[in-house]
Amino acid sequence: RHVMNMDRREFAGGLFLLALGVAFAAYAALHYSTGTVTRMGPGMIPVALGGLLAVFGTVIAIGAFFRIAEPTEIRWIVPIIVLGSVLVFGALIKPFGLIPAVAGSVIVATFAEEKFRPLFSLTLAAVLCVMAWLIFIVGLQLPIPLIDWSL
């Protein structure tokens, strides 16, 4: 196979994720203490997630050499919707709690699909709310209210 036949868009996306992961991991490692696995410091999770993102980016970039690009339409609205879902999470987490923030973020993010499917959106929101509860409240015991309507 010739290198010119590779999926350039996939390759560029993989390199972007690789660079982003390395940048976040390096910043966290240089500015925060990572601690040990049994006594994690504030930098442990950002370094681990940055490293994981870099690994995923590498896998995606390498995989681009083994696939031929198919012509696709570029939907510029998708990154705007995804950014909007992050903003929704940030706007809802403090006044309303974890569950409304995760649910709102997921529902907004699912509008990025070509066809919005309400049942899929609500099911995904429910599953991710349970996962967020298990990870952040049960597992990490973070003091985040699940639901706070006290405004």
Side-chain angles (χ1 to χ4, degrees), residues 132-144:
W133 170 70
L134 287 170
I135 292 168
F136 298 110
I137 306 298
V138 175
L140 296 174
Q141 298 179 347
L142 295 177
I144 303 170

Side-chain angles (χ1 to χ4, degrees), residues 79-95 101 104-106 108-109:
I80 295 168
I81 292 171
V82 171
L83 177 61
S85 74
V86 173
L87 294 174
V88 165
F89 181 87
L92 295 179
I93 187 72
K94 193 159 187 152
S105 178
V106 169
V108 169

Side-chain angles (χ1 to χ4, degrees), residues 55-126:
V55 168
F56 286 146
T58 303
V59 169
I60 290 169
I62 291 171
F65 285 102
F66 301 102
R67 128 176 90 251
I68 295 175
E70 295 179 19
T72 57
E73 146 191 11
I74 296 175
R75 296 178 56 227
W76 293 104
I77 193 72
V78 171
I80 295 168
I81 292 171
V82 171
L83 177 61
S85 74
V86 173
L87 294 174
V88 165
F89 181 87
L92 295 179
I93 187 72
K94 193 159 187 152
F96 297 108
L98 183 66
I99 300 301
V102 169
S105 178
V106 169
I107 290 168
V108 169
T110 57
F111 280 103
E113 289 284 328
E114 286 189 43
K115 183 177 184 235
F116 179 72
R117 297 173 297 172
L119 183 59
F120 170 77
S121 182
L122 293 173
T123 304
L124 183 62

